[in-house]
């Protein structure tokens, strides 16, 4: 579904992604792991063309994304939830969800507000609350739910467990497993190995914008030296 081939991405002169390649198959949940600054967020932004790679290819369902403006990636079926949860703080939960509404998409799960409230019960209870009156974890859920209102075929979640209470992290993990059961393809960036292992099928470990490991969590467990070298655990 997603094929990233030898991308090189920069901020100005700073060369961040250095020939990175990986793929994500339909229905898979893949976790991008690595320390602070390893390049996880930049990878997400490069897929979304928010940081367009200067070389290499990002192919989504056979279509080249490099060279397209960022808004076209959303139209193509990619849903992106950035690390800084851009919800509208003066709008209510229901209004935030409406902002994200897009027509159903062939080959992707179709979400209604009622289904999203089942997926994130906290949001149902707070449907008339304004974004600014919600906890960090609830805002994170709202940000994911609003993106799902666009009926994406591939969901990119940048560090969904960061800075939220452990009980909410557990709910978040359950919600992601439900998304997987619905057949959604998910690429998730994580520092929390425990969370990543609970939700993802496969781990890709980055360091200095290069791929250091790509495989199952079972395989990763057999190679503790990789974990010790590239993850902060
Ligand atoms: N807007 C920017 N301008 C310049 N350099 C940046 C910018 N954003 C990130 N970087 C640098 O790019 C490198 C990769 O950062 P990135 O945010 O992709 O890492 P990450 O693995 O997502 O880590 P984090 O968990 O801190 O978000 C880091 O060295 C970072 O300092």
């Amino acid at each position: 579904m997603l094929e990233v081939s030898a991308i090189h991405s920069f901020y100005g002169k700073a060369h961040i992604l250095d020939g990175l390649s990986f793929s994500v198959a339909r229905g898979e949940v893949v976790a991008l792991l690595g320390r602070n600054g390893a390049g996880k967020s930049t990878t997400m932004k490069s897929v979304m063309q928010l940081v367009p790679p200067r070389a290499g290819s990002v192919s989504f369902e056979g279509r080249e994304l490099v060279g397209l403006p960022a808004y076209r990636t959303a139209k193509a079926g990619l849903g992106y939830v950035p690390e800084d949860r851009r919800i509208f703080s003066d709008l209510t939960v229901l209004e935030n969800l409406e902002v994200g509404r897009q027509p159903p998409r062939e080959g992707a799960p179709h979400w209604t507000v009622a289904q999203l409230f089942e997926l994130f019960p906290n949001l149902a209870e707070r449907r008339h609350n304004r974004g600014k009156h919600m906890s960090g974890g609830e805002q994170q859920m709202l940000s994911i739910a609003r993106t799902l209102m666009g009926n994406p075929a591939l969901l990119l979640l940048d560090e969904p467990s960061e800075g939220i209470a452990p009980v909410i992290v557990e709910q978040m993990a359950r919600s992601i497993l439900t998304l997987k059961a619905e057949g959604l393809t998910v690429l998730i960036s994580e520092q929390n190995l425990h969370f990543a292992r609970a939700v993802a099928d496969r781990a890709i470990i980055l360091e200095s914008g290069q791929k250091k490991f790509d495989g199952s969590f079972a395989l990763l467990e057999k190679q503790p030296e990789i974990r010790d070298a590239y993850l902060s655990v």
Side-chain angles (χ1 to χ4, degrees):
M1 168 175 261
L2 179 73
E3 194 75 47
V4 173
S5 308
I7 56 170
H8 291 265
S9 296
F10 296 73
Y11 294 108
K13 285 187 181 156
H15 191 172
I16 307 296
L17 299 186
D18 185 8
L20 179 65
S21 301
F22 66 93
S23 63
V24 181
R26 180 175 287 276
E28 243 189 332
V29 177
V30 174
L32 283 177
L33 301 169
R35 293 206 179 97
N36 262 338
K40 304 179 296 295
S41 298
T42 307
T43 302
M44 299 252 166
K45 289 176 187 161
S46 293
V47 169
M48 294 305 294
Q49 305 307 310
L50 293 164
V51 176
R54 290 198 197 158
S57 153
V58 177
S59 165
F60 177 64
E61 296 188 315
R63 182 170 174 202
E64 181 58 53
L65 299 183
V66 175
L68 293 182
Y71 76 89
R72 291 278 296 279
T73 59
K75 284 208 156 157
L78 283 83
Y80 169 57
V81 181
E83 216 172 348
D84 57 3
R85 314 164 190 153
R86 272 169 239 153
I87 59 158
F88 296 100
S89 54
D90 284 324
L91 299 186
T92 66
V93 166
L94 277 169
E95 287 165 345
N96 265 283
L97 292 180
E98 279 312 318
V99 172
R101 189 187 286 276
Q102 292 289 325
R105 186 186 308 279
E106 210 179 303
H110 173 216
W111 299 95
T112 61
V113 171
Q115 285 169 323
L116 291 172
F117 282 165
E118 251 177 63
L119 187 64
F120 298 111
N122 303 43
L123 296 184
E125 286 166 26
R126 297 185 163 271
R127 66 187 74 192
H128 299 300
N129 283 33
R130 291 187 198 284
K132 62 183 168 202
H133 296 135
M134 297 168 66
S135 71
E138 288 164 348
Q139 290 185 4
Q140 180 66 276
M141 290 176 180
L142 178 55
S143 185
I144 298 173
R146 190 183 63 187
T147 301
L148 290 172
M149 285 294 284
N151 301 310
L154 170 65
L155 181 66
L156 293 96
L157 296 178
D158 199 350
E159 299 211 27
S161 76
E162 202 200 9
I164 62 177
V167 52
I168 307 278
V169 172
E170 266 175 46
Q171 288 175 25
M172 187 80 74
R174 279 199 295 275
S175 304
I176 293 170
L177 289 172
T178 305
L179 295 176
K180 178 178 163 56
E182 293 289 331
L184 192 65
T185 312
V186 184
L187 180 64
I188 180 169
S189 139
E190 260 306 326
Q191 298 239 15
N192 180 337
L193 179 61
H194 176 71
F195 181 84
R197 196 195 285 123
V199 300
D201 303 308
R202 178 155 62 91
I204 294 173
I205 299 182
L206 301 183
E207 167 80 9
S208 305
Q210 295 179 336
K211 186 168 80 174
K212 300 295 184 183
F213 175 87
D214 189 343
S216 67
F217 285 90
L219 186 64
L220 181 58
E221 242 145 66
K222 288 190 197 128
Q223 300 180 39
E225 67 284 2
I226 298 230
R227 190 194 57 199
D228 295 346
Y230 303 121
L231 303 178
S232 4
V233 283

